[in-house]
Amino acid sequence: MALLIVQGSALQAQEPATLAIGEPAPAFSLKGIDGETYTLESFQGAKVLTLIFTANHCPTAQAYEERMKELSARYAPGEMQLVAISSNHPGAVCLEELGYTDLGDSFGEMKVRASDKGYNFPYLYDGDEQAMATAYGAKATPHVFIFDRDRKLRYTGRIDDMEDPYRAPTRSDARLAIDALLAEKEVEVETTKAFGCSLKWKSKMDWRKTLDERWKEKPVKVEGIDLEGVTALVGNRSDVYRLINVWATWCVPCVAELPEFVTINRMYRKRPFELITISMDSPDEMDNALKTLRQRHVAATNYIYSSEDREAFAEALDSQWQGPVPYTLLIAPGGEVIYRKLNTIEPLELKRAIVERLGRTYK
């Protein structure tokens, strides 16, 4: 893991130095998503070894996923082997950093991402001890390290000069370095800056805990809403994606899944997104609804339906809804319903629906 130094009363991570050109590849032993253990010797059959430190959640890393697959497929196994490594500590990734993804950086989520995206290269986990990231001095996701036949470092830095996944790069630095090594030539540009998300060192876990505690301090309120208000909500003349969850205090599954909506809200709320809850409790039960929301820290826009006419409410909310709770809608600007779910949500399914509309990258 990253070394810690004491500065005052706070512990700070001292990032390791990046491996210098000409240095040998440090040994490693890491588990891959296929359950196998990989070492440096596992890839001795390739003339060139390309190691890329990456992450599930990082927008820049996601922007490069297809180009990583293309780079891997470009060469025969005996020519170049590409290996991806996730070194982020899952407990150090804050919910507020997950606004461009549906997945965090745990080992289990790595398996999901590799399957979803069809990775054609090994994907190794270094997140618990972060020993490999420390030994190599990885700074960002993605960060490329390219080694020759003798496993001496010959290139480190970016994949290419274009983060936008929909535009072609003007300089493909990693590919040029690989081609030079295969041709037994000198690498023209040996180092470039690695731009992307910073490594999430284990020492950052305290910051995540701080953000979690700060969230619990946020005010939680609830107010009444009538049919006209409900109609305006689903019409959604705003410029944000609107997630509406209908629940009630007497509905056990409703209450049980409220923390999932808090997580989703914290992930996407800094983007064009908002969470709205509507309680189906009787209007005179507002205090009880508020108590439940506060206990679960649902710091969102919270309403309670101000009438007993539930049939009219159901028709105003969504003509396809028959009335049982919980019920969840994701509504695009302009009123298009892009997700509806009767009964409890499947969190990953909902996150995917949200992030596919919001976008996974900065471009």
Side-chain angles (χ1 to χ4, degrees), residues 83-170:
V83 181
I85 307 99
S86 177
S87 292
N88 283 343
H89 192 285
V93 182
C94 304
L95 290 176
E96 287 76 5
E97 294 174 306
L98 301 179
Y100 289 81
T101 186
D102 49 355
L103 295 167
D105 290 334
S106 70
F107 183 70
E109 288 167 305
M110 287 169 58
K111 293 181 180 181
V112 175
R113 174 54 56 80
S115 176
D116 286 349
K117 299 299 181 180
Y119 283 3
N120 57 359
F121 44 79
Y123 194 16
L124 314 184
Y125 179 66
D126 182 44
D128 288 342
E129 298 302 323
Q130 302 182 299
M132 188 173 179
T134 300
Y136 284 73
K139 299 296 185 185
T141 53
H143 193 168
V144 183
F145 293 77
I146 299 177
F147 297 87
D148 62 17
R149 164 62 84 181
D150 297 324
R151 296 305 182 251
K152 299 292 181 65
L153 183 65
R154 301 294 297 276
Y155 171 83
T156 182
R158 65 192 185 187
I159 295 175
D160 58 44
D161 64 351
M162 178 52 66
E163 181 176 354
D164 187 340
Y166 303 106
R167 296 174 61 189
T170 60

Coordinates of all heavy atoms in Angstrom, one line a residue, residues 83-170:
V83 N -2.3 -6.5 -20.4 CA -2.8 -6.9 -19.1 C -3.4 -5.7 -18.4 O -2.7 -4.7 -18.3 CB -1.8 -7.6 -18.2 CG1 -2.4 -8.0 -16.9 CG2 -1.2 -8.8 -18.9
A84 N -4.6 -5.7 -17.9 CA -5.2 -4.6 -17.1 C -5.2 -4.9 -15.7 O -5.4 -6.1 -15.3 CB -6.6 -4.4 -17.6
I85 N -4.9 -3.9 -14.9 CA -4.8 -4.1 -13.4 C -5.7 -3.0 -12.7 O -5.6 -1.8 -13.1 CB -3.4 -3.9 -12.9 CG1 -2.4 -4.8 -13.6 CG2 -3.3 -4.2 -11.4 CD1 -1.7 -4.2 -14.7
S86 N -6.6 -3.4 -11.8 CA -7.3 -2.5 -11.0 C -6.7 -2.4 -9.6 O -6.7 -3.4 -8.9 CB -8.8 -2.9 -10.9 OG -9.5 -2.0 -10.1
S87 N -6.2 -1.2 -9.3 CA -5.5 -1.1 -8.0 C -6.2 -0.2 -7.1 O -5.7 0.1 -6.0 CB -4.1 -0.5 -8.3 OG -3.2 -1.4 -8.9
N88 N -7.3 0.4 -7.5 CA -8.1 1.2 -6.5 C -8.6 0.3 -5.4 O -9.1 -0.8 -5.6 CB -9.3 1.8 -7.2 CG -8.9 3.0 -8.1 OD1 -7.8 3.5 -8.0 ND2 -9.8 3.4 -9.0
H89 N -8.5 0.9 -4.2 CA -9.1 0.2 -3.0 C -10.6 0.5 -3.0 O -11.0 1.6 -3.0 CB -8.5 0.7 -1.7 CG -8.8 -0.2 -0.5 ND1 -10.1 -0.1 0.1 CD2 -8.1 -1.1 0.1 CE1 -10.1 -1.0 1.0 NE2 -8.9 -1.6 1.1
P90 N -11.4 -0.5 -3.1 CA -12.9 -0.3 -3.2 C -13.5 0.5 -2.1 O -14.4 1.4 -2.3 CB -13.5 -1.7 -3.1 CG -12.4 -2.6 -3.6 CD -11.1 -2.0 -3.1
G91 N -12.9 0.4 -0.9 CA -13.4 1.2 0.3 C -13.0 2.6 0.3 O -13.5 3.4 1.1
A92 N -12.1 3.0 -0.6 CA -11.6 4.4 -0.7 C -12.3 5.2 -1.8 O -12.0 6.3 -2.0 CB -10.1 4.4 -1.0
V93 N -13.2 4.5 -2.6 CA -13.9 5.2 -3.7 C -15.2 5.7 -3.1 O -16.1 5.0 -2.6 CB -14.2 4.2 -4.8 CG1 -15.0 4.9 -5.9 CG2 -12.9 3.6 -5.4
C94 N -15.4 7.0 -3.1 CA -16.5 7.7 -2.5 C -17.7 7.6 -3.5 O -17.6 7.5 -4.7 CB -16.3 9.1 -2.2 SG -14.8 9.4 -1.2
L95 N -18.9 7.5 -2.9 CA -20.1 7.4 -3.8 C -20.2 8.6 -4.7 O -20.7 8.5 -5.8 CB -21.4 7.4 -2.9 CG -21.6 6.1 -2.1 CD1 -22.8 6.2 -1.2 CD2 -21.7 4.9 -3.0
E96 N -19.7 9.8 -4.2 CA -19.8 11.0 -5.1 C -18.8 10.9 -6.3 O -18.9 11.7 -7.2 CB -19.4 12.2 -4.2 CG -20.5 12.6 -3.2 CD -20.6 11.7 -2.0 OE1 -19.8 10.8 -1.8 OE2 -21.6 11.9 -1.2
E97 N -18.0 9.9 -6.3 CA -17.0 9.7 -7.4 C -17.6 8.8 -8.5 O -16.9 8.5 -9.5 CB -15.7 9.2 -6.9 CG -15.0 10.2 -6.0 CD -13.7 9.6 -5.4 OE1 -13.8 8.6 -4.8 OE2 -12.6 10.3 -5.6
L98 N -18.8 8.3 -8.2 CA -19.4 7.2 -9.1 C -20.4 7.8 -10.1 O -21.3 7.0 -10.5 CB -19.9 6.1 -8.3 CG -18.9 5.4 -7.3 CD1 -19.7 4.3 -6.5 CD2 -17.8 4.8 -8.1
G99 N -20.4 9.1 -10.4 CA -21.4 9.7 -11.2 C -21.4 9.3 -12.6 O -22.3 9.6 -13.4
Y100 N -20.3 8.6 -13.1 CA -20.2 8.3 -14.5 C -20.2 6.7 -14.7 O -19.8 6.3 -15.8 CB -18.9 8.9 -15.1 CG -19.0 10.4 -15.3 CD1 -18.8 11.2 -14.2 CD2 -19.3 10.9 -16.5 CE1 -18.8 12.6 -14.4 CE2 -19.4 12.3 -16.7 CZ -19.1 13.1 -15.6 OH -19.2 14.5 -15.7
T101 N -20.7 6.0 -13.7 CA -20.6 4.6 -13.8 C -21.8 3.9 -13.2 O -22.6 4.5 -12.4 CB -19.3 4.1 -13.1 OG1 -19.2 2.7 -13.3 CG2 -19.3 4.4 -11.6
D102 N -21.9 2.6 -13.4 CA -22.9 1.8 -12.7 C -22.2 0.8 -11.7 O -22.9 0.1 -11.0 CB -23.8 1.0 -13.7 CG -23.0 0.3 -14.7 OD1 -21.7 0.5 -14.7 OD2 -23.5 -0.5 -15.5
L103 N -20.9 0.8 -11.7 CA -20.1 -0.1 -11.0 C -19.0 0.5 -10.2 O -18.4 1.5 -10.7 CB -19.5 -1.2 -11.9 CG -20.4 -2.1 -12.7 CD1 -19.7 -2.9 -13.7 CD2 -21.1 -3.1 -11.7
G104 N -18.7 0.0 -9.0 CA -17.5 0.4 -8.3 C -16.3 -0.4 -8.7 O -16.3 -1.1 -9.7
D105 N -15.3 -0.5 -7.8 CA -14.0 -1.1 -8.2 C -13.7 -2.4 -7.4 O -12.6 -2.8 -7.2 CB -12.9 -0.1 -8.0 CG -12.9 1.0 -9.1 OD1 -13.5 0.7 -10.1 OD2 -12.4 2.1 -8.8
S106 N -14.8 -3.1 -6.9 CA -14.5 -4.3 -6.2 C -14.2 -5.4 -7.1 O -14.4 -5.3 -8.4 CB -15.8 -4.7 -5.4 OG -16.8 -5.1 -6.2
F107 N -13.7 -6.5 -6.6 CA -13.3 -7.7 -7.5 C -14.5 -8.2 -8.2 O -14.5 -8.5 -9.4 CB -12.6 -8.7 -6.6 CG -12.2 -9.9 -7.4 CD1 -11.1 -9.8 -8.3 CD2 -12.8 -11.2 -7.3 CE1 -10.7 -10.9 -9.0 CE2 -12.4 -12.3 -8.0 CZ -11.3 -12.1 -8.9
G108 N -15.7 -8.3 -7.4 CA -16.9 -8.8 -8.1 C -17.4 -7.9 -9.2 O -17.8 -8.4 -10.2
E109 N -17.3 -6.6 -9.0 CA -17.7 -5.7 -10.0 C -16.8 -5.7 -11.2 O -17.2 -5.4 -12.3 CB -17.8 -4.3 -9.4 CG -19.0 -4.2 -8.5 CD -19.0 -2.9 -7.6 OE1 -18.0 -2.7 -6.9 OE2 -20.0 -2.2 -7.6
M110 N -15.5 -6.0 -11.0 CA -14.6 -6.2 -12.1 C -15.0 -7.3 -13.1 O -15.0 -7.1 -14.3 CB -13.2 -6.5 -11.6 CG -12.4 -5.3 -11.0 SD -10.9 -5.9 -10.1 CE -10.0 -6.6 -11.5
K111 N -15.5 -8.3 -12.5 CA -16.0 -9.5 -13.3 C -17.2 -9.0 -14.2 O -17.3 -9.4 -15.3 CB -16.5 -10.6 -12.4 CG -15.3 -11.3 -11.6 CD -15.9 -12.4 -10.8 CE -14.8 -13.2 -10.0 NZ -15.3 -14.3 -9.2
V112 N -18.1 -8.2 -13.5 CA -19.3 -7.8 -14.3 C -18.8 -6.9 -15.4 O -19.3 -7.0 -16.6 CB -20.2 -7.0 -13.3 CG1 -21.4 -6.4 -14.1 CG2 -20.8 -7.9 -12.2
R113 N -17.9 -5.9 -15.2 CA -17.5 -5.0 -16.2 C -16.8 -5.7 -17.4 O -17.1 -5.5 -18.5 CB -16.6 -3.9 -15.6 CG -15.9 -3.0 -16.7 CD -17.0 -2.3 -17.6 NE -17.9 -1.5 -16.8 CZ -17.7 -0.3 -16.3 NH1 -16.6 0.3 -16.4 NH2 -18.7 0.2 -15.6
A114 N -15.9 -6.7 -17.0 CA -15.2 -7.4 -18.1 C -16.2 -8.2 -19.0 O -16.1 -8.3 -20.2 CB -14.2 -8.3 -17.5
S115 N -17.2 -8.8 -18.3 CA -18.2 -9.5 -19.1 C -19.1 -8.6 -19.9 O -19.4 -8.8 -21.1 CB -19.1 -10.3 -18.1 OG -20.2 -11.0 -18.8
D116 N -19.5 -7.5 -19.3 CA -20.3 -6.5 -20.1 C -19.6 -6.0 -21.3 O -20.3 -5.8 -22.4 CB -20.7 -5.3 -19.2 CG -21.8 -5.7 -18.1 OD1 -22.3 -6.8 -18.2 OD2 -22.0 -4.9 -17.2
K117 N -18.4 -5.7 -21.2 CA -17.6 -5.0 -22.2 C -16.8 -6.0 -23.1 O -16.2 -5.5 -24.1 CB -16.6 -4.0 -21.6 CG -17.3 -2.9 -20.8 CD -18.3 -2.1 -21.7 CE -19.0 -1.0 -20.9 NZ -19.9 -0.2 -21.8
G118 N -16.8 -7.2 -22.8 CA -16.1 -8.2 -23.6 C -14.6 -8.0 -23.6 O -14.0 -8.1 -24.7
Y119 N -14.0 -7.9 -22.4 CA -12.6 -7.7 -22.4 C -11.9 -8.9 -23.0 O -12.2 -10.0 -22.7 CB -12.1 -7.6 -20.9 CG -12.4 -6.2 -20.3 CD1 -13.0 -5.2 -21.0 CD2 -11.9 -6.0 -19.0 CE1 -13.2 -4.0 -20.4 CE2 -12.1 -4.7 -18.4 CZ -12.8 -3.7 -19.1 OH -13.0 -2.5 -18.5
N120 N -10.9 -8.6 -23.8 CA -10.1 -9.7 -24.5 C -8.7 -9.7 -23.9 O -7.7 -10.1 -24.6 CB -10.1 -9.5 -26.0 CG -9.5 -8.1 -26.4 OD1 -9.2 -7.3 -25.5 ND2 -9.5 -7.9 -27.7
F121 N -8.5 -9.4 -22.6 CA -7.2 -9.4 -22.0 C -7.4 -9.8 -20.5 O -8.5 -9.6 -20.0 CB -6.5 -8.0 -22.1 CG -7.5 -6.9 -21.9 CD1 -7.8 -6.5 -20.6 CD2 -8.0 -6.2 -22.9 CE1 -8.7 -5.4 -20.4 CE2 -8.9 -5.1 -22.7 CZ -9.2 -4.7 -21.4
P122 N -6.4 -10.2 -19.8 CA -6.5 -10.5 -18.4 C -6.8 -9.2 -17.6 O -6.3 -8.2 -17.9 CB -5.2 -11.1 -18.0 CG -4.6 -11.6 -19.3 CD -5.1 -10.6 -20.4
Y123 N -7.6 -9.4 -16.6 CA -8.0 -8.2 -15.7 C -7.6 -8.6 -14.3 O -8.3 -9.5 -13.7 CB -9.4 -7.9 -15.9 CG -9.9 -6.6 -15.3 CD1 -9.0 -5.5 -15.0 CD2 -11.3 -6.3 -15.1 CE1 -9.4 -4.3 -14.5 CE2 -11.7 -5.1 -14.7 CZ -10.8 -4.1 -14.4 OH -11.2 -2.9 -13.9
L124 N -6.6 -8.0 -13.7 CA -6.1 -8.4 -12.4 C -6.5 -7.5 -11.3 O -6.6 -6.3 -11.5 CB -4.6 -8.6 -12.4 CG -4.0 -9.3 -13.6 CD1 -2.5 -9.4 -13.5 CD2 -4.6 -10.6 -13.8
Y125 N -6.6 -8.0 -10.1 CA -7.1 -7.2 -8.9 C -5.9 -6.9 -8.0 O -5.2 -7.9 -7.5 CB -8.2 -7.9 -8.2 CG -8.7 -7.1 -6.9 CD1 -9.3 -5.9 -7.1 CD2 -8.5 -7.7 -5.7 CE1 -9.8 -5.2 -6.0 CE2 -9.0 -7.0 -4.5 CZ -9.6 -5.7 -4.7 OH -10.0 -5.1 -3.6
D126 N -5.6 -5.7 -7.7 CA -4.5 -5.2 -6.8 C -5.1 -4.3 -5.7 O -4.3 -3.6 -5.0 CB -3.5 -4.5 -7.7 CG -2.3 -4.0 -6.9 OD1 -1.8 -4.8 -6.1 OD2 -1.8 -2.9 -7.1
G127 N -6.4 -4.3 -5.5 CA -7.0 -3.3 -4.7 C -6.9 -3.4 -3.2 O -6.9 -2.4 -2.5
D128 N -6.6 -4.6 -2.7 CA -6.5 -4.8 -1.3 C -5.2 -4.3 -0.7 O -5.2 -3.4 0.2 CB -6.7 -6.3 -0.9 CG -8.1 -6.8 -1.1 OD1 -9.0 -5.9 -1.1 OD2 -8.3 -8.0 -1.2
E129 N -4.1 -4.8 -1.2 CA -2.8 -4.4 -0.7 C -2.2 -3.3 -1.6 O -1.3 -2.6 -1.1 CB -1.9 -5.6 -0.6 CG -2.3 -6.6 0.3 CD -2.5 -6.1 1.7 OE1 -1.7 -5.3 2.2 OE2 -3.5 -6.6 2.4
Q130 N -2.6 -3.1 -2.8 CA -2.1 -2.1 -3.8 C -0.6 -2.2 -3.9 O 0.1 -1.2 -4.2 CB -2.5 -0.7 -3.3 CG -4.0 -0.6 -3.2 CD -4.4 0.8 -2.8 OE1 -4.1 1.3 -1.7 NE2 -5.2 1.5 -3.6
A131 N 0.0 -3.5 -3.8 CA 1.4 -3.7 -3.9 C 2.0 -3.4 -5.3 O 3.0 -2.9 -5.4 CB 1.7 -5.1 -3.4
M132 N 1.2 -3.8 -6.3 CA 1.7 -3.6 -7.6 C 1.7 -2.1 -8.0 O 2.6 -1.6 -8.6 CB 0.8 -4.4 -8.6 CG 1.4 -4.4 -10.0 SD 0.6 -5.6 -11.1 CE 1.4 -5.3 -12.7
A133 N 0.6 -1.4 -7.7 CA 0.6 0.0 -8.0 C 1.7 0.7 -7.3 O 2.3 1.7 -7.9 CB -0.8 0.6 -7.5
T134 N 2.0 0.3 -6.1 CA 3.1 0.9 -5.3 C 4.5 0.6 -6.0 O 5.3 1.5 -6.2 CB 3.1 0.4 -3.9 OG1 1.9 0.7 -3.3 CG2 4.3 1.0 -3.1
A135 N 4.7 -0.6 -6.4 CA 5.9 -1.0 -7.0 C 6.2 -0.3 -8.4 O 7.3 0.1 -8.7 CB 6.0 -2.5 -7.2
Y136 N 5.1 -0.1 -9.1 CA 5.2 0.5 -10.4 C 5.1 2.0 -10.4 O 5.4 2.7 -11.3 CB 4.2 -0.1 -11.4 CG 4.6 -1.5 -11.9 CD1 4.5 -2.6 -11.0 CD2 5.0 -1.7 -13.2 CE1 4.8 -3.9 -11.4 CE2 5.4 -3.0 -13.6 CZ 5.3 -4.1 -12.7 OH 5.6 -5.3 -13.2
G137 N 4.5 2.5 -9.3 CA 4.3 4.0 -9.2 C 3.2 4.5 -10.1 O 3.3 5.5 -10.7
A138 N 2.1 3.7 -10.2 CA 1.0 4.1 -11.1 C 0.3 5.4 -10.5 O 0.2 5.5 -9.2 CB -0.1 3.0 -11.1
K139 N 0.0 6.3 -11.3 CA -0.6 7.6 -10.9 C -2.0 7.8 -11.2 O -2.7 8.5 -10.5 CB 0.2 8.7 -11.5 CG 1.7 8.7 -11.2 CD 1.9 9.0 -9.7 CE 3.4 9.1 -9.4 NZ 3.7 9.2 -7.9
A140 N -2.5 7.2 -12.3 CA -3.8 7.5 -12.8 C -4.5 6.3 -13.4 O -3.8 5.2 -13.6 CB -3.7 8.6 -13.8
T141 N -5.7 6.4 -13.7 CA -6.4 5.4 -14.5 C -7.0 6.1 -15.8 O -7.8 7.0 -15.6 CB -7.5 4.7 -13.7 OG1 -8.4 5.7 -13.2 CG2 -7.0 3.9 -12.5
P142 N -6.5 5.6 -16.9 CA -5.5 4.6 -17.2 C -4.0 5.1 -17.1 O -3.8 6.3 -17.4 CB -5.8 4.1 -18.6 CG -6.4 5.3 -19.3 CD -7.1 6.1 -18.2
H143 N -3.1 4.2 -16.8 CA -1.7 4.5 -16.8 C -1.0 3.3 -17.4 O -1.1 2.2 -16.9 CB -1.1 4.8 -15.4 CG 0.2 5.4 -15.4 ND1 0.8 5.9 -14.2 CD2 1.2 5.6 -16.3 CE1 2.0 6.4 -14.5 NE2 2.2 6.2 -15.7
V144 N -0.2 3.5 -18.5 CA 0.4 2.5 -19.3 C 1.9 2.3 -19.0 O 2.6 3.3 -18.8 CB 0.2 2.8 -20.8 CG1 0.8 1.6 -21.7 CG2 -1.2 3.1 -21.2
F145 N 2.3 1.0 -18.9 CA 3.7 0.7 -18.7 C 4.0 -0.4 -19.8 O 3.4 -1.5 -19.8 CB 4.0 0.1 -17.3 CG 3.8 1.1 -16.2 CD1 2.6 1.5 -15.8 CD2 4.9 1.7 -15.6 CE1 2.4 2.4 -14.7 CE2 4.8 2.6 -14.6 CZ 3.5 3.0 -14.2
I146 N 5.0 -0.1 -20.7 CA 5.3 -1.1 -21.7 C 6.7 -1.6 -21.6 O 7.7 -0.8 -21.5 CB 5.1 -0.5 -23.1 CG1 3.6 0.0 -23.3 CG2 5.5 -1.4 -24.2 CD1 3.3 0.7 -24.6
F147 N 6.9 -2.9 -21.6 CA 8.2 -3.5 -21.3 C 8.6 -4.3 -22.5 O 7.8 -4.9 -23.3 CB 8.1 -4.5 -20.1 CG 7.8 -3.7 -18.8 CD1 6.4 -3.5 -18.5 CD2 8.7 -3.3 -18.0 CE1 6.1 -2.9 -17.3 CE2 8.4 -2.6 -16.8 CZ 7.1 -2.4 -16.5
D148 N 10.0 -4.4 -22.8 CA 10.5 -5.1 -23.9 C 10.7 -6.6 -23.5 O 10.2 -7.1 -22.5 CB 11.8 -4.5 -24.3 CG 12.9 -4.5 -23.3 OD1 12.8 -5.3 -22.3 OD2 13.9 -3.7 -23.4
R149 N 11.4 -7.3 -24.4 CA 11.5 -8.8 -24.2 C 12.3 -9.1 -22.9 O 12.0 -10.1 -22.2 CB 12.3 -9.4 -25.4 CG 12.9 -10.7 -25.1 CD 11.9 -11.8 -24.9 NE 11.3 -12.3 -26.1 CZ 10.3 -13.2 -26.2 NH1 9.8 -13.6 -25.1 NH2 9.9 -13.6 -27.4
D150 N 13.2 -8.2 -22.5 CA 13.9 -8.4 -21.2 C 13.2 -7.8 -20.1 O 13.7 -7.8 -18.9 CB 15.3 -7.7 -21.3 CG 16.2 -8.4 -22.4 OD1 16.1 -9.6 -22.6 OD2 16.9 -7.6 -23.1
R151 N 12.0 -7.4 -20.3 CA 11.1 -6.8 -19.3 C 11.7 -5.6 -18.6 O 11.6 -5.4 -17.4 CB 10.7 -7.8 -18.3 CG 9.8 -9.0 -18.9 CD 8.6 -8.5 -19.6 NE 7.8 -9.5 -20.1 CZ 7.7 -9.8 -21.4 NH1 8.3 -9.1 -22.3 NH2 6.9 -10.8 -21.8
K152 N 12.3 -4.8 -19.5 CA 12.8 -3.4 -19.1 C 11.8 -2.4 -19.6 O 11.2 -2.5 -20.7 CB 14.2 -3.1 -19.7 CG 15.3 -4.1 -19.3 CD 15.6 -3.9 -17.8 CE 16.7 -4.9 -17.4 NZ 18.0 -4.6 -18.1
L153 N 11.5 -1.4 -18.7 CA 10.5 -0.4 -19.1 C 11.0 0.4 -20.2 O 12.0 1.0 -20.2 CB 10.2 0.5 -17.9 CG 9.1 1.5 -18.1 CD1 7.7 0.8 -18.4 CD2 8.9 2.4 -16.9
R154 N 10.2 0.5 -21.3 CA 10.6 1.3 -22.5 C 9.6 2.4 -22.8 O 9.9 3.3 -23.6 CB 10.7 0.4 -23.7 CG 11.7 -0.8 -23.5 CD 13.1 -0.3 -23.4 NE 13.5 0.4 -24.6 CZ 14.0 -0.2 -25.7 NH1 14.1 -1.6 -25.7 NH2 14.3 0.4 -26.8
Y155 N 8.4 2.4 -22.2 CA 7.4 3.5 -22.3 C 6.5 3.5 -21.1 O 6.1 2.5 -20.6 CB 6.6 3.3 -23.6 CG 5.4 4.3 -23.7 CD1 5.7 5.6 -24.2 CD2 4.2 4.0 -23.3 CE1 4.6 6.5 -24.2 CE2 3.1 4.9 -23.3 CZ 3.4 6.2 -23.8 OH 2.4 7.1 -23.8
T156 N 6.1 4.7 -20.7 CA 5.1 4.9 -19.7 C 4.4 6.2 -19.9 O 4.9 7.2 -20.3 CB 5.7 4.8 -18.2 OG1 4.7 4.9 -17.3 CG2 6.7 6.0 -18.0
G157 N 3.1 6.1 -19.6 CA 2.2 7.3 -19.8 C 0.8 7.0 -20.3 O 0.2 6.1 -19.8
R158 N 0.4 7.8 -21.3 CA -1.0 7.7 -21.8 C -1.1 6.6 -22.9 O -0.1 6.1 -23.4 CB -1.4 9.0 -22.3 CG -0.6 9.4 -23.6 CD -0.8 10.9 -23.9 NE -0.1 11.2 -25.2 CZ 0.0 12.5 -25.7 NH1 -0.6 13.5 -25.0 NH2 0.6 12.7 -26.8
I159 N -2.3 6.3 -23.2 CA -2.6 5.4 -24.3 C -2.4 6.1 -25.7 O -1.8 5.7 -26.6 CB -4.0 4.7 -24.2 CG1 -4.0 3.8 -23.0 CG2 -4.3 3.9 -25.5 CD1 -5.4 3.2 -22.7
D160 N -3.1 7.3 -25.7 CA -3.0 8.2 -26.9 C -3.4 9.6 -26.4 O -3.6 9.8 -25.2 CB -3.8 7.7 -28.1 CG -5.3 7.6 -27.7 OD1 -5.8 8.5 -27.1 OD2 -5.9 6.5 -28.1
D161 N -3.5 10.5 -27.4 CA -3.7 11.9 -27.0 C -5.2 12.4 -27.1 O -5.4 13.6 -27.2 CB -2.8 12.8 -27.9 CG -3.2 12.8 -29.3 OD1 -4.0 11.9 -29.7 OD2 -2.6 13.6 -30.1
M162 N -6.1 11.4 -27.2 CA -7.5 11.8 -27.3 C -8.4 11.1 -26.4 O -8.7 9.9 -26.5 CB -8.0 11.5 -28.8 CG -9.4 11.9 -29.1 SD -9.9 13.6 -28.5 CE -8.9 14.5 -29.7
E163 N -8.9 11.8 -25.3 CA -9.7 11.1 -24.3 C -11.1 10.9 -24.9 O -11.8 9.9 -24.5 CB -9.8 12.0 -23.1 CG -10.7 11.4 -22.0 CD -10.7 12.3 -20.7 OE1 -9.9 13.2 -20.7 OE2 -11.5 11.9 -19.8
D164 N -11.6 11.7 -25.8 CA -12.9 11.6 -26.3 C -13.0 10.3 -27.1 O -12.4 10.1 -28.1 CB -13.2 12.8 -27.3 CG -14.7 12.8 -27.8 OD1 -15.4 11.7 -27.7 OD2 -15.1 13.9 -28.2
P165 N -13.9 9.3 -26.7 CA -14.0 8.0 -27.3 C -14.6 8.1 -28.7 O -14.5 7.1 -29.5 CB -14.9 7.2 -26.4 CG -15.7 8.2 -25.7 CD -14.8 9.4 -25.5
Y166 N -15.2 9.2 -29.1 CA -15.8 9.3 -30.4 C -14.9 10.1 -31.4 O -15.4 10.3 -32.5 CB -17.2 10.0 -30.3 CG -18.1 9.3 -29.3 CD1 -18.3 9.8 -28.0 CD2 -18.7 8.1 -29.6 CE1 -19.1 9.2 -27.1 CE2 -19.5 7.4 -28.7 CZ -19.7 8.0 -27.5 OH -20.5 7.3 -26.6
R167 N -13.7 10.4 -31.1 CA -12.8 11.0 -32.0 C -11.5 10.3 -32.0 O -11.0 9.7 -31.1 CB -12.5 12.5 -31.5 CG -13.7 13.4 -31.5 CD -13.4 14.7 -30.9 NE -12.4 15.4 -31.6 CZ -11.8 16.5 -31.2 NH1 -12.2 17.1 -30.0 NH2 -10.9 17.1 -31.9
A168 N -10.9 10.3 -33.2 CA -9.6 9.5 -33.4 C -8.5 10.3 -32.8 O -8.4 11.5 -33.0 CB -9.4 9.3 -34.9
P169 N -7.5 9.6 -32.2 CA -6.3 10.3 -31.7 C -5.4 10.8 -32.8 O -5.5 10.2 -33.9 CB -5.6 9.3 -30.8 CG -6.1 8.0 -31.4 CD -7.5 8.2 -31.9
T170 N -4.6 11.8 -32.6 CA -3.6 12.3 -33.6 C -2.3 11.6 -33.3 O -1.5 11.5 -34.2 CB -3.5 13.8 -33.5 OG1 -3.0 14.2 -32.2 CG2 -4.8 14.5 -33.8

